[in-house]
Amino acid sequence: MTLATEFLTAIRGFLEELNGEGLRDWLKVEPPLPQQYFDLAAELRSAYQNDAAIEKLIESCLPEEQDVPEGQGTTWPGFAAFMKDYLEYWRDVDFNHLLDTHQLLTALTNSCATAFNNPTFGTIMLETSISLCSSLSKLTMTLNKRPDLIRKLAALHAGDDERKSVIEVTAEIMQKFFITCLTDRSSPRYAQPTGKKVGVYIFANKTLKLLTMNQKSYMAAQLLTNIMAKSPPLSFYPASQRVTYLYFLGRFHVNHTHYSRAAECLQEAYIQTPPHFQKHRRLILTYLIACNFLCGRLPSQALLRRPEAQSMAPCFFQLALSVRTGNYVLFQHTIKQHEPWLRSKGLSLLIGLQFSLRALVWRSLARRTFLLTYAPPAEGESRKAATLELRHLETTMRYVQKRLEGYLPAQPAPKKGKQVGGANNTLLLKAVSNSVGPVSADSTLVPPPGGPKRLAPDEGLLMGNMQVTAEHVEGVVASLIDQDLLHGYIAHSQGVFAIMGTKQKGGSAVSAGWPAPCEAIAQRTAEPFVPGWVKEE
């Protein structure tokens, strides 16, 4: 008996026993491998060069039987076609040539998807399908990191009407398995999954991982739509599948700037991950803290002291400090200092923190300016609304812009009646002086020795070296009001931001004018459910 015949005889035994795990362990496609597989490949190359010979071998060793007893299985046409492709794969594969190997494995996995779709015996292919998709996904990600091979692949498909990347092709194949599992009728939607339905989130996770790790998560939108329409609740599946799915669903929402949705997914994934899985908790926590920043929730010292947070604590501690104090110089310095690390976590995360978080820093800067410059009204004018003079905020913002450009504090003899930003406010002058160092006298700023620093567009307070004007200040305040980060209105004729609701806040103008960011953002972004997350009825 030849080695190929022995191999197919064992496959027939697995089919008769409906032994899916044994079938998976037998149908290997990637190293490391026992020597028997290389011997099988050599035999196929020498004796079965003709595809028709392989087909005849399969017909003799894997006949399709009729009247199969209950609890047993048999070959079906789709499985016979899959085994033909499997033997051709081993006959032709050369693991030293990644591009050819990928094309063979792609064809084999496609054939497996067809066999898996069989309504009677397809379930036996579940474990094999998972194994093949894992192998194809790994090889695809390896191939995608080789620009030289990608160029060769593009040249092979140069004449195609619709050229797709290697990631897109692999994702589409894996979604075939996902759809087969999702549409299986072995159990109702809101009952414990059985049959192929147990693989819904396995294939969803593999597809989401492939797309997310290769910056193509936008292609997962249809997959998530299908999950919302037909999937059983996520809670019916094992913890490992739940956590993985919630993590990648959170990453999907991060990439689409839905930070409150992402935070909810990542929070649940973090809670469900046991403490001893430090690597997984660290990965989840990185995105969870970043999303909470953008939802107005800053990390506590206790959280940043956790073991899984040690690598990210320096970055997030400084960011939290800059947001709390309105220290725009520290904010920009922290982003630049940790930019390589943030970029490694995804461009969406970096852009979100670099630009979307600015609104919270501006809010705190306006609040500090108000605390330094506001003088409560006299007793007879107590009904008058508390206001922040926009010229004072302009002074503060101009000062910050100069510091970003490298201006240094100096201590010349102060001139009587010195104007700063058009306002003679000694309290603000003192604050500006104290913010640049332990000096006791009023300070001014002088250019650095080499002249003002030329800032990149993302480095200035507004954009690069653009100087702050009254119109810019008014625009910033109007934007903060529109985002519900400030509560009040701009009185244009008086040039002030007037605070509303002081009486309702017990007379505290600060509490009334600067509501808690997390509450304001939560009210604005509240949703009844998170798209992509199916919960129990």
Side-chain angles (χ1 to χ4, degrees):
M1 184 183 292
T2 64
L3 193 58
T5 304
E6 289 180 9
F7 183 85
L8 292 175
T9 302
I11 293 294
R12 183 177 180 180
F14 293 133
L15 290 179
E16 290 176 352
E17 299 168 4
L18 297 178
N19 185 353
E21 293 183 0
L23 190 65
R24 173 201 62 197
D25 295 339
W26 208 248
L27 295 172
K28 296 180 181 293
V29 294
E30 63 174 331
L33 293 160
Q35 182 58 37
Q36 290 92 325
Y37 285 88
F38 297 103
D39 294 341
L40 173 64
E43 180 180 299
L44 291 170
R45 281 192 288 270
S46 63
Y48 296 94
Q49 281 290 337
N50 192 335
D51 292 353
I54 292 181
E55 191 171 347
K56 185 176 179 180
L57 175 67
I58 291 172
E59 286 177 358
S60 63
C61 295
L62 296 174
E64 185 176 357
E65 300 175 3
Q66 304 297 325
D67 301 323
V68 180
E70 188 176 352
Q72 291 187 15
T74 185
T75 305
W76 64 97
F79 185 79
F82 165 71
M83 285 308 304
K84 177 178 177 291
D85 289 337
Y86 182 81
L87 294 182
E88 289 177 357
Y89 169 84
W90 272 109
R91 183 192 66 187
D92 301 333
V93 72
D94 182 353
F95 293 116
N96 294 319
H97 294 84
L98 290 181
L99 194 56
D100 294 339
T101 302
H102 184 269
Q103 290 180 312
L104 289 169
L105 188 55
T106 298
L108 179 62
T109 309
N110 245 329
S111 182
C112 181
T114 303
F116 183 54
N117 203 32
N118 183 271
T120 307
F121 299 115
T123 305
I124 194 177
M125 296 289 291
L126 177 61
E127 287 82 2
T128 302
S129 300
I130 295 170
S131 176
L132 283 178
C133 284
S134 297
S135 299
L136 180 61
S137 180
K138 284 191 292 184
L139 183 56
T140 297
M141 287 194 280
T142 301
L143 191 63
N144 197 50
K145 296 174 183 176
R146 292 281 304 274
D148 55 325
L149 296 180
I150 293 297
R151 284 194 295 270
K152 287 183 180 179
L153 187 63
L156 290 175
H157 299 280
D160 294 355
D161 294 334
E162 185 181 358
R163 284 171 52 187
K164 295 179 180 178
S165 70
V166 65
I167 298 297
E168 292 173 313
V169 171
T170 302
E172 286 181 0
I173 293 172
M174 291 198 293
Q175 287 191 70
K176 292 180 182 179
F177 293 93
F178 164 74
I179 292 296
T180 299
C181 292
L182 192 65
T183 55
D184 184 57
R185 298 182 179 181
S186 59
S187 60
R189 181 179 184 185
Y190 290 97
Q192 192 65 35
T194 59
K196 297 175 188 173
K197 256 194 167 65
V198 301
V200 168
Y201 285 98
I202 294 175
F203 291 110
N205 289 340
K206 290 186 180 300
T207 306
L208 287 171
K209 179 180 179 180
L210 178 69
L211 295 175
T212 302
M213 301 304 288
N214 292 279
Q215 293 79 48
K216 292 186 180 291
S217 64
Y218 61 88
M219 293 180 61
Q222 187 59 51
L223 182 147
L224 299 179
T225 300
N226 291 335
I227 283 180
M228 289 300 293
K230 297 180 180 179
S231 172
L234 182 62
S235 58
F236 289 173
Y237 290 82
S240 60
Q241 295 179 35
R242 295 197 306 267
V243 170
T244 303
Y245 180 74
L246 288 172
Y247 167 72
F248 284 112
L249 181 60
R251 291 284 304 272
F252 174 86
H253 288 307
V254 168
N255 291 342
H256 292 78
T257 67
H258 296 299
Y259 301 114
S260 58
R261 296 176 184 176
E264 190 172 342
C265 296
L266 294 165
Q267 176 73 28
E268 189 63 25
Y270 183 70
I271 291 171
Q272 293 189 29
T273 305
H276 59 275
F277 289 109
Q278 287 292 303
K279 180 180 177 180
H280 301 81
R281 285 170 67 89
R282 179 168 61 252
L283 192 59
I284 296 168
L285 193 60
T286 300
Y287 295 94
L288 175 58
I289 292 178
C291 289
N292 278 332
F293 261 112
L294 296 163
C295 292
R297 296 185 291 267
L298 305 184
S300 65
Q301 286 292 321
L303 177 62
L304 294 178
R305 280 196 292 266
R306 291 185 180 182
E308 61 267 26
Q310 293 306 300
S311 61
M312 63 194 81
C315 174
F316 288 143
F317 173 77
Q318 290 184 96
L319 278 181
L321 181 61
S322 67
V323 170
R324 283 194 184 96
T325 60
N327 190 335
Y328 202 91
V329 177
L330 176 62
F331 170 75
Q332 287 282 41
H333 171 74
T334 303
I335 292 292
K336 287 299 175 185
Q337 181 183 4
H338 298 280
E339 184 174 354
W341 177 74
L342 291 171
R343 189 180 294 276
S344 72
K345 300 304 176 184
L347 194 59
S348 299
L349 187 73
L350 172 61
I351 291 174
L353 291 174
Q354 188 171 23
F355 294 101
S356 300
L357 199 57
R358 292 184 179 194
L360 297 182
V361 184
W362 286 339
R363 171 195 172 275
S364 296
L365 183 63
R367 182 176 180 273
R368 290 192 72 190
T369 304
F370 175 79
L371 289 171
L372 291 168
T373 60
Y374 177 64
E379 187 125 354
E381 300 177 340
S382 58
R383 294 172 61 86
K384 202 172 179 183
T387 59
L388 166 65
E389 294 191 35
L390 298 184
R391 60 198 178 104
H392 292 162
L393 183 56
E394 182 183 350
T395 298
T396 309
M397 292 176 68
R398 283 184 175 179
Y399 171 79
V400 170
Q401 177 64 26
K402 293 296 184 185
R403 291 308 309 270
L404 290 171
E405 292 175 356
Y407 279 69
L408 304 172
Q411 300 178 31
K415 298 179 182 178
K416 197 170 184 180
K418 175 73 175 178
Q419 298 285 316
V420 178
N424 185 12
N425 190 306
T426 56
L427 188 58
L428 181 59
L429 281 171
K430 184 178 180 182
V432 169
S433 173
N434 290 341
S435 69
V436 297
V439 295
S440 57
D442 294 338
S443 68
T444 58
L445 296 174
V446 295
K453 186 191 303 182
R454 187 175 181 80
L455 302 176
D458 61 321
E459 292 178 337
L461 184 68
L462 300 171
M463 188 180 73
N465 294 89
M466 181 182 291
Q467 296 304 304
V468 178
T469 65
E471 289 76 15
H472 291 139
V473 175
E474 191 171 302
V476 167
V477 173
S479 172
L480 296 176
I481 293 172
D482 183 62
Q483 297 175 69
D484 299 324
L485 297 176
L486 296 182
H487 184 58
Y489 60 93
I490 297 176
H492 297 278
S493 59
Q494 301 174 41
V496 299
F497 163 65
I499 298 170
M500 299 169 58
T502 302
K503 187 175 181 181
Q504 289 81 352
K505 291 292 183 179
S508 172
V510 175
S511 299
W514 284 265
C518 58
E519 295 176 5
I521 294 172
Q523 289 176 3
R524 192 176 74 246
T525 60
E527 293 180 295
F529 61 88
V530 177
W533 186 354
V534 180
K535 299 184 179 181
E536 296 183 51
E537 287 183 307

